[in-house]
Amino acid sequence: MVSTVDASSFVGRDVISMRDFSREAIVYLIDAVDHLARENKPLLQGKILATLFFEPSTRTRLSFESAMHRLGGSVIGFADMRVSSTTKGESLADTIRVVEGYCDVIVIRHPADGSARLAAESTELPVINGGDGTNQHPTQTLLDLYTLRQECGRLDNLKIAFLGDLKYGRTVHSLIETLSYFDCELTLVAPQGLGLPTDLIEDLRERRVTFEERGLLSDVDPDIDVVYTTRIQKERFPDQLEYERVKHTYQLDRRVISSFRKRVILMHPLPRVREIHPELDQYSGAAYFKQAHNGVLVRKTLLALVLGAYREQ
Ligand code: NCD
């Protein structure tokens, strides 16, 4: 089959949801990460990235900044909405229309679902979603997929268990939606009330993805390849007592890992609270810090692509 995706397919594009990209485009992007990792050219010299972070972030913001600096570009922005004019009542659309005059590309993180799409509709510049509420986190998904392929050598025929807060966790929503392009078996393990939202469950059914829902970690197939764990998203709970009830439901440690038949790949978008015991940090399948570090490579590639600076070799 002749590929219809090339570097020009990404120029000027917004990155709001992984669903805006085909399987072919996603694989192209992940391959491009490997190509760019070998290059050290200042591809984005003279370009400016604006990082508008209305919610806390360590990895996403800093890895975007690092990516831009490593490509010779520069960064402006804020990491705390309290220092922006939002506190004076400025609308998101107005903020974006002002900032578009200062930069070439925008990354936004915001507590409201749909805010990144709204931002993208307010400007002609490419807008990248760094996490919108409980909705999507596409660049995390790209680095998750890149790490998955690095660790497992493939993206099809994997048995993956998702563990933790599947209701509010946007990294899980983005990744699960994207995995429906690949031929994987999913096990969804969540405490009662924190399962995957029904629209996403319906979507998995429609796309004929093989999946099962479980409440206990001990119900997971011992032949599993990957466990993707997440933090219970404390800040999204309307009732903090409810958070207290579920906060430490699952904790992976050596004992749990030894119940699986093979070496499992352990993934987590971080930050972790108590989901993964630090004793597992030396375990050969622990991939969570690699994920965080891969974030720079993946975001370098994405920035170079949307700004039209990536060249196929
Ligand atoms: C995640 C997020 O912000 O959604 N963090 C990240 O970007 N790696 C996960 C989380 O906060 O639990």
Side-chain angles (χ1 to χ4, degrees), residues 85-103:
S85 281
T86 309
T87 49
K88 300 180 188 168
E90 183 168 61
S91 71
L92 179 60
D94 276 5
T95 304
I96 299 294
R97 289 193 62 190
V98 170
V99 170
E100 73 174 350
Y102 306 156
C103 63

Side-chain angles (χ1 to χ4, degrees), residues 56 59-60 109 137 140 170-171 231 233 235 269-271:
R59 280 147 288 273
T60 306
R109 167 170 288 190
H137 195 344
Q140 178 71 39
R170 58 193 172 199
T171 68
R231 174 177 72 89
Q233 309 278 296
E235 69 279 25
L270 302 179

Side-chain angles (χ1 to χ4, degrees), residues 9-266:
S9 318
F10 299 90
V11 180
R13 276 190 73 172
D14 300 317
V15 182
I16 305 302
S17 161
M18 292 301 292
R19 275 299 177 80
D20 301 338
F21 295 86
S22 63
R23 170 182 167 131
E24 207 189 353
I26 293 166
V27 172
Y28 179 95
L29 233 152
I30 294 171
D31 289 341
V33 178
D34 279 330
H35 292 152
L36 205 79
R38 292 192 288 271
E39 276 215 39
N40 222 355
K41 293 194 196 130
L43 297 177
L44 295 183
Q45 211 158 28
K47 298 288 184 192
I48 299 177
L49 163 72
T51 55
L52 312 186
F53 278 66
F54 295 88
E55 256 195 354
S57 170
T58 300
R59 280 147 288 273
T60 306
R61 189 174 62 84
L62 293 182
S63 62
F64 262 114
E65 291 196 2
S66 170
M68 197 63 187
H69 287 303
R70 287 201 188 283
L71 289 174
S74 37
V75 184
I76 57 169
F78 53 82
D80 182 343
M81 72 193 285
R82 283 171 303 184
V83 301
S84 78
S85 281
T86 309
T87 49
K88 300 180 188 168
E90 183 168 61
S91 71
L92 179 60
D94 276 5
T95 304
I96 299 294
R97 289 193 62 190
V98 170
V99 170
E100 73 174 350
Y102 306 156
C103 63
D104 303 285
V105 54
I106 296 173
V107 178
I108 180 171
R109 167 170 288 190
H110 196 283
D113 293 23
S115 51
R117 184 80 67 194
L118 175 73
E121 283 163 4
S122 310
T123 176
E124 292 297 307
L125 290 186
V127 172
I128 302 176
N129 183 3
D132 65 320
T134 65
N135 188 32
Q136 298 284 317
H137 195 344
T139 64
Q140 178 71 39
T141 295
L142 285 170
L143 73 88
D144 290 342
L145 292 175
Y146 181 74
T147 311
L148 253 184
R149 198 174 72 171
Q150 208 171 41
E151 295 297 309
C152 304
R154 62 189 193 278
L155 289 173
D156 288 298
N157 298 318
L158 289 171
K159 288 188 181 175
I160 307 177
F162 283 88
L163 182 67
D165 185 347
L166 310 188
K167 179 178 182 184
Y168 296 119
R170 58 193 172 199
T171 68
V172 168
H173 299 165
S174 273
L175 182 55
I176 287 180
E177 273 195 6
T178 311
L179 284 171
S180 66
Y181 287 131
F182 299 88
D183 190 11
C184 292
E185 280 178 37
L186 311 182
T187 306
L188 311 176
V189 189
Q192 209 182 10
L194 288 187
L196 200 67
T198 41
D199 56 324
L200 289 177
I201 292 281
E202 286 304 316
D203 200 63
L204 288 179
R205 288 209 181 100
E206 257 167 49
R207 291 175 161 247
R208 299 184 188 285
V209 176
T210 309
F211 74 97
E212 51 183 19
E213 293 188 271
R214 294 280 178 265
L216 297 175
L217 188 52
S218 53
D219 291 339
V220 172
D221 181 347
D223 261 332
I224 204 89
D225 299 298
V226 179
V227 178
Y228 189 104
T229 315
T230 62
R231 174 177 72 89
I232 308 286
Q233 309 278 296
K234 181 176 187 215
E235 69 279 25
R236 314 263 184 231
F237 279 67
D239 176 358
Q240 284 305 305
L241 282 177
E242 189 54 20
Y243 169 73
E244 292 299 321
R245 187 182 67 79
V246 292
K247 65 180 179 186
H248 299 315
T249 310
Y250 307 114
Q251 290 172 345
L252 296 175
D253 54 20
R254 275 204 204 103
R255 190 187 53 81
V256 176
I257 291 300
S258 65
S259 67
F260 297 117
R261 267 202 212 115
K262 47 189 172 195
R263 170 179 164 271
V264 290
I265 302 302
L266 278 186

